[in-house]
Amino acid sequence: MTETKNPAADAAPGIPADDTTLRVLSTSDLAGIDITLTDVVDTVEGAYRTLAAGRSDNPRKLTVRPADGHSVSYAMLGRDGSRNVVAFKTSYKNGLDKGRAEQHYYTALTLYDDVTGLPVAMMDCGRIGALRTPAVSALLARECARPGARSALVIGTGTQGRLALPFLLTTLPDLTRLMLSGTHPEGIAAVREHLRTHFPDRDLEIVTDLRAAAGDADIILATAGGHTTAAVEADWLKPGALTVLVGHGLAPSTLHRADRVVATSEAQMKVTGTDMADATGGFPAVDTEFPPVIAGVTAGRRSAEERVFAYNSGLVVTDIALGHRFAQLAIDQGLGQQVPLWR
């Protein structure tokens, strides 16, 4: 986790050390890169540890949303202090007032080596986010679930729901009951396929009674889209339950009546989690952010009986670390196109 070289300079023989050519990595370039779940988790955890140590910078994201709410845009800037990489991430989603099939989503990450001052790569950030987010949820579960947790419920079968269970099993291999609440047959099939690919000996239980399933679960991971009708209430939860919010599927009561609140970023929760605010637009105080939990400075939970709410909003430093890891692997394989953008 201490790489400081500019991968672009090592991409191929004959590339000069002062080359400012930008390597562009497309969706298809990144799709073919093989990376293990453990590698992803370790990379993301390393980014949190570096941030907790004060060696990285993760400013609050900027947001633009039109009055009618049909789209949302984010801009994020950050610096990874262990990799000496600065990056800019943009995210734009259009069609929030329409069904999933009619929506458009584009996200990109541009990396610069902060030692040489040279560009590393510009890449589609879709796969980065698709892996980073469930890895963070799995780390939240590892740190905040009650001791001896054995059951997990995933709500939603979209991009985040499909890899949620494989990542959870990577950090919590002793989970024995894996439940899924979803309404899209193709999504349910995709969740099964991903679980079978990574953990062929594990079974998936499809649940139709959300209240009963939530009451049985030690860990509830809500990844559903904005049109979901699922909304787990606080009084459905058993003592010691952990709820992790990534998308939708939890009612605001799970946050406001939690015994302990953990957030990857309190500031970002107040920007992206407005649907969880109370009637006055307020939020309860966050007991701890997640970086110091990962670093062992604060506790994810204080007792086995606490109901813990965790908000996973994603930090750009985790995108930077994982994006840089993908850039290294892509450059090693000669992937991407060299674009003379600044010539």
Side-chain angles (χ1 to χ4, degrees):
M1 307 296 290
T2 59
E3 299 87 345
T4 60
K5 297 188 299 180
N6 176 26
D10 297 332
I15 295 180
D18 61 349
D19 181 52
T20 57
T21 302
L22 180 65
R23 181 177 294 265
V24 177
L25 299 169
S26 68
T27 302
S28 56
D29 289 329
L30 298 176
I33 294 176
D34 187 26
I35 188 168
T36 66
L37 301 184
T38 299
D39 192 348
V40 174
V41 169
D42 289 346
T43 300
V44 170
E45 181 172 358
Y48 273 111
R49 289 185 179 276
T50 305
L51 181 62
R55 296 168 53 205
S56 293
D57 297 293
N58 194 100
R60 180 173 176 172
K61 67 175 66 175
L62 299 176
T63 307
V64 174
R65 189 189 303 265
D68 65 4
H70 77 270
S71 70
V72 64
S73 307
Y74 299 107
M76 291 149 276
L77 163 68
R79 184 182 187 279
D80 184 313
S82 65
R83 293 172 176 268
N84 288 311
V85 173
V86 170
F88 301 85
K89 179 183 176 183
T90 59
S91 177
Y92 169 64
K93 192 166 189 177
N94 182 285
L96 297 178
D97 54 340
K98 302 175 182 178
R100 184 184 303 175
E102 299 176 89
Q103 294 180 357
H104 298 277
Y105 179 58
Y106 307 99
T107 179
L109 181 70
T110 306
L111 302 161
Y112 298 89
D113 188 304
D114 200 31
V115 174
T116 66
L118 297 176
V120 176
M122 179 179 182
M123 65 185 70
D124 166 51
C125 203
R127 190 178 179 203
I128 306 302
L131 292 171
R132 173 264 289 160
T133 303
V136 173
S137 294
L139 288 167
L140 282 163
R142 188 190 73 188
E143 299 296 328
C144 301
R146 71 171 185 83
R150 292 292 182 270
S151 57
L153 167 65
V154 173
I155 303 171
T157 61
T159 300
Q160 292 307 318
R162 297 177 188 190
L163 276 172
L165 290 172
F167 272 107
L168 279 175
L169 289 170
T170 300
T171 61
L172 292 172
D174 292 334
L175 291 174
T176 55
R177 187 182 180 192
L178 308 175
M179 296 175 280
L180 175 68
S181 173
T183 58
H184 299 282
E186 67 279 7
I188 293 172
V191 173
R192 285 190 186 278
E193 179 183 354
H194 280 84
L195 181 61
R196 189 180 302 116
T197 296
H198 295 283
F199 293 92
D201 60 330
R202 297 303 186 104
D203 295 322
L204 180 65
E205 177 184 345
I206 308 301
V207 299
T208 55
D209 187 336
L210 182 60
R211 180 167 188 161
D216 289 340
D218 296 314
I219 301 165
I220 300 173
L221 181 53
T223 73
H227 296 289
T228 186
T229 58
V232 172
E233 295 284 355
D235 59 7
W236 299 2
L237 305 175
K238 67 180 181 180
L242 166 68
T243 51
V244 181
L245 184 62
V246 178
H248 300 270
L250 300 178
S253 62
T254 57
L255 166 62
H256 293 273
R257 292 171 53 189
D259 299 309
R260 188 164 179 81
V261 177
V262 179
T264 48
S265 166
E266 183 172 11
Q268 286 192 14
M269 183 176 77
K270 293 178 179 179
V271 171
T272 60
T274 53
D275 57 317
M276 297 295 284
D278 63 19
T280 66
F283 292 85
V286 168
D287 293 291
T288 179
E289 293 190 322
F290 192 49
V293 174
I294 281 280
V297 176
T298 59
R301 69 164 51 240
R302 298 163 300 184
S303 75
E305 299 300 304
E306 278 188 318
R307 293 185 179 93
V308 179
F309 175 95
Y311 190 81
N312 177 0
S313 59
L315 301 183
V316 73
V317 289
T318 59
D319 293 293
I320 294 171
L322 192 55
H324 188 255
R325 179 70 180 129
F326 266 92
Q328 291 175 310
L329 295 171
I331 290 168
D332 287 344
Q333 297 174 37
L335 299 174
Q337 289 185 301
Q338 297 293 117
V339 179
L341 184 62
W342 294 287
R343 291 183 189 171

